[in-house]
Amino acid sequence: MASVPTSTTRRRLPLVGRRAFQFVTALNVFALSLIVVSGGVVRLSGSGLGCPTWPQCGDGSFTPHSEYALHGAIEFGNRVVGLVVGAVVLITPIMALRLRSGRRRDLTLLSFGLWLGYLGQAVLGGITVLTKLNPVTVAAHFLLSMVLLWNAVVLDRRARQGAGPVTPAVAPALLWLARLLVVVSAGVLVLGTVVTGTGPHSGDSEHPARFGFDIVNVSQLHADGAMLLTGLVAAMAFAVRITAAPAAARRDSLTLVAVVIAQAGLGFAQYFLGVPCGLVALHMTGATIMWVVALRLWLAMVARPALATAAG
C-alpha cells in the first residue's frame, strides 16, 4: 500500500541565503523608486486615463486598444512595471520566512508590510482611475509610494544587520537632527504634491482636475519648505564632520547636499520656464532619490549587532 505523505515528508521551499535576500531587498528599493518615475511619466504625458478602465485597459481587454494610441501604451507600460514590482514584493516575505540563518521577526514584518502597501497601491490606483484623476487620489498614490519606499529602505538596512537592540551611534542632538530632517523631507514631499496638483500637469490632457489653490502661493510655500530642508541638510553635513559619526552618515550627508542643491535648481528653473515636462520629471526623480538618501542617513545614526559571518 502506498504511503500517505505527511507534513515531514512533503517537499518544502529551499532555504534562502543571506546574500540572496539582501539582493532582493535592494531590488525592492530600486523597483519601488522606478514605479514612481514611470508613474510621473504617465502624468506628465497626459496618459493618466490612457487606459480608461481598471484593471482592464478598455472594455474587454487588458492591453490597450489601438484607438488609445500613445497614451494607452504609456499607461499600459506603467501597469506592466507595476506587475514587475508586485512580483518582487511577492517573493520578499516568502524569502524572509525561509532564511537559512533563521527566521527574524523584524524582517518578516517589514516584508509583509511591502505586501500590504502594494495591495493598497493597487486599490488606490483603481480609485484614481475611477475618480478621473482627482488630485487628492493622485497625491495619495504618490505619497503611499513614499511610505512603501520607507518600508523598503528600512528592510534593506535591517537585512544587512543582525538581530538585537538598537544603540545610538551619534550624540542625541545629532540623532534628533536626523529625525527632524526626515520629517521636513516628508513635509516637502507633501507640499510638492499640492504644487503638482495645482499646476498644469494633471495626468489627463483633455479634462484636467486640479486643486483650486493659487499656484504662486503654493509654489512659494513649497520653496519655503525646501529652503528649510536645505538649511537642515547643510547643518547635518557640518555636524557629522565635527562630531563622532559613522562613515556611512558622512557619505550620505554629502550625497543629500548634492541632491538638495540639484532639486532647488530644478525647482526654480521649472517655475520660471513655465513648468516644462522634462524638468518636472527630473524634479520628481530627484525627490524620490532625496527621500531614499534622507532615510538612509537617518538609519545610519543608529547601530545594531553585526550579522553572523556563518549566515549564508
Side-chain angles (χ1 to χ4, degrees):
M1 179 181 293
S3 59
V4 179
T6 65
S7 59
T8 57
T9 60
R10 290 180 185 139
R11 299 183 65 180
R12 303 181 68 185
L13 293 172
L15 295 175
V16 176
R18 180 186 68 193
R19 296 186 186 279
F21 185 66
Q22 290 173 347
F23 173 79
V24 170
T25 59
L27 187 59
N28 270 287
V29 176
F30 173 78
L32 289 167
S33 300
L34 181 62
I35 193 66
V36 174
V37 176
S38 68
V41 172
V42 170
R43 179 168 191 158
L44 294 169
S45 63
S47 303
L49 295 177
C51 288
T53 60
W54 186 91
Q56 295 181 335
C57 188
D59 295 335
S61 175
F62 286 93
T63 58
H65 295 291
S66 58
E67 62 265 27
Y68 301 143
L70 181 60
H71 291 317
I74 293 174
E75 168 60 10
F76 177 73
N78 182 59
R79 293 186 182 185
V80 171
V81 174
L83 290 176
V84 173
V85 173
V88 176
V89 168
L90 175 66
I91 65 173
T92 304
I94 297 173
M95 295 178 71
L97 292 172
R98 297 297 297 161
L99 283 173
R100 184 177 295 120
S101 56
R103 186 180 300 179
R104 277 176 46 182
R105 184 172 182 270
D106 58 339
L107 300 181
T108 301
L109 290 177
L110 286 166
S111 297
F112 277 104
L114 291 177
W115 257 18
L116 292 176
Y118 181 79
L119 290 175
Q121 280 290 64
V123 173
L124 190 53
I127 294 173
T128 301
V129 173
L130 295 175
T131 58
K132 305 301 181 183
L133 306 185
N134 184 287
V136 173
T137 59
V138 173
H141 205 36
F142 173 80
L143 293 174
L144 181 54
S145 292
M146 297 298 105
V147 175
L148 268 170
L149 266 176
W150 168 82
N151 190 323
V153 171
V154 174
L155 174 61
D156 186 53
R157 174 74 172 176
R158 293 282 186 88
R160 298 165 201 282
Q161 298 173 319
V166 60
T167 56
V170 296
L174 199 56
L175 182 56
W176 277 107
L177 178 59
R179 292 168 178 164
L180 179 61
L181 196 151
V182 170
V183 171
V184 174
S185 296
V188 170
L189 290 174
V190 172
L191 290 172
T193 64
V194 176
V195 174
T196 305
T198 306
H201 303 296
S202 68
D204 182 8
S205 58
E206 295 183 1
H207 305 288
R210 318 306 298 132
F211 288 125
F213 306 126
D214 181 82
I215 186 63
V216 175
N217 291 335
V218 294
S219 295
Q220 183 60 58
L221 187 60
H222 179 56
D224 292 342
M227 285 188 283
L228 173 60
L229 177 61
T230 302
L232 292 174
V233 170
M236 175 64 76
F238 178 73
V240 295
R241 277 158 182 77
I242 63 172
T243 61
R250 295 177 178 176
R251 289 194 303 268
D252 288 336
S253 68
L254 283 180
T255 303
L256 194 56
V257 167
V259 173
V260 167
I261 290 175
Q263 280 292 89
L266 285 170
F268 282 112
Q270 69 179 12
Y271 179 77
F272 289 111
L273 295 176
V275 202
C277 292
L279 289 182
V280 177
L282 288 175
H283 199 54
M284 181 176 290
T285 303
T288 305
I289 296 172
M290 178 206 72
W291 180 235
V292 171
V293 178
L295 291 171
R296 286 171 53 90
L297 177 58
W298 164 57
L299 293 171
M301 297 295 175
V302 296
R304 292 179 180 272
L307 279 171
T309 56

